[in-house]
Amino acid sequence: MSAASRAPQRSNRAAHSSNRALRVRRRATLAAGVAAAALLVSACGSGGTSGGGGNTNFVTGTDGISTVAEGERVAAPELSGKTLEGEQLDVADYKGKVVVLNVWGSWCNPCRAEAKYFAKVAKDYADQDVQFVGINTRDGSTTAALAFEKDFGIPYPSLYDPTGKLMLRFEKGTLNPQAVPSTLVLDREGRIAARSLTSLSEERLLKMLKPVVAEK
């Protein structure tokens, strides 16, 4: 075979290889887009029922609220940093009180749906040694988050955690970083007593809170 006849064959093979590489890149791009869309959907919705396994102390009720018996509770991790207002806050300073931790974002519609209930219950229980603390996540700046708090009359502080680092401090199986909103109730010793990975009504929030408040 002459050099002239081999040249078109080499050209055809090169074109075929280039087209195959292009198809591979397109499939990878499509897969990445699907994964990103799935992450966005899961980041704000009705939440889930599992934090990823690892913590077997939770007993989940039919209403999606998980509780932990007093003798099986584990301490919450160190949670401190700047609030949306730029002030320093350390959740450990509230030891001796029941603490309600609520993970939320101004971009999250279920968070907006439950915000009025959190504001109301926080005010109702303010004189019963109950402290609410928000953990604001995935807001690129504090502007929208502060507007959210103003709109709903939120009376308690929120730690500003745009990248979700505070959520990752919890023991595996305690919180699902993709479940926003989510809520934890800490007992007076700073231990995790109850959890919800879904948006809460006032009734369900009180169902989580009241038993812990009643503990002596």
Side-chain angles (χ1 to χ4, degrees):
M1 183 179 293
S2 68
S5 63
R6 287 196 298 271
Q9 293 181 2
R10 288 196 296 270
S11 177
N12 289 339
R13 285 197 298 270
H16 178 72
S17 177
S18 177
N19 289 337
R20 183 172 55 187
L22 179 60
R23 288 195 298 271
V24 170
R25 287 197 298 271
R26 284 175 175 173
R27 286 196 295 268
T29 300
L30 178 60
V34 171
L39 179 61
L40 181 60
V41 170
S42 66
C44 183
S46 59
T49 57
S50 171
N55 189 330
T56 60
N57 295 338
F58 285 110
V59 176
T60 304
T62 56
D63 54 5
I65 294 173
S66 302
T67 58
V68 185
E70 284 192 65
E72 299 179 1
R73 295 172 185 170
V74 297
E78 187 270 335
L79 299 171
S80 64
K82 292 292 184 66
T83 66
L84 291 172
E85 293 79 12
E87 299 176 357
Q88 191 68 27
L89 185 150
D90 189 341
V91 173
D93 291 341
Y94 297 124
K95 192 170 183 180
K97 293 186 175 183
V98 174
V99 176
V100 180
L101 295 173
N102 178 242
V103 181
W104 65 279
S106 67
W107 44 268
C108 168
N109 285 331
C111 300
R112 303 184 74 86
E114 70 175 9
K116 60 183 178 182
Y117 305 125
F118 277 77
K120 181 179 183 299
V121 175
K123 293 172 184 175
D124 290 347
Y125 278 77
D127 61 350
Q128 299 187 45
D129 285 334
V130 175
Q131 176 65 49
F132 279 62
V133 177
I135 299 177
N136 173 258
T137 188
R138 298 177 197 162
D139 272 311
S141 72
T142 61
T143 303
L146 288 169
F148 178 102
E149 290 190 329
K150 182 178 180 180
D151 288 344
F152 291 100
I154 302 298
Y156 50 85
S158 284
L159 289 163
Y160 182 48
D161 185 33
T163 60
K165 289 182 179 179
L166 293 179
M167 293 180 72
L168 296 177
R169 293 182 183 180
F170 285 89
E171 180 183 344
K172 183 180 179 182
T174 301
L175 282 180
N176 182 343
Q178 307 310 324
V180 181
S182 54
T183 302
L184 295 175
V185 177
L186 310 184
D187 65 18
R188 291 180 176 84
E189 297 299 320
R191 303 172 302 178
I192 299 168
R195 175 190 70 180
S196 173
L197 301 181
T198 63
S199 179
L200 292 171
S201 64
E202 181 179 355
E203 179 184 9
R204 292 178 65 232
L205 175 56
L206 289 172
K207 187 173 182 179
M208 289 179 67
L209 179 60
K210 282 183 175 179
V212 186
V213 173
E215 294 174 358
K216 302 301 181 182

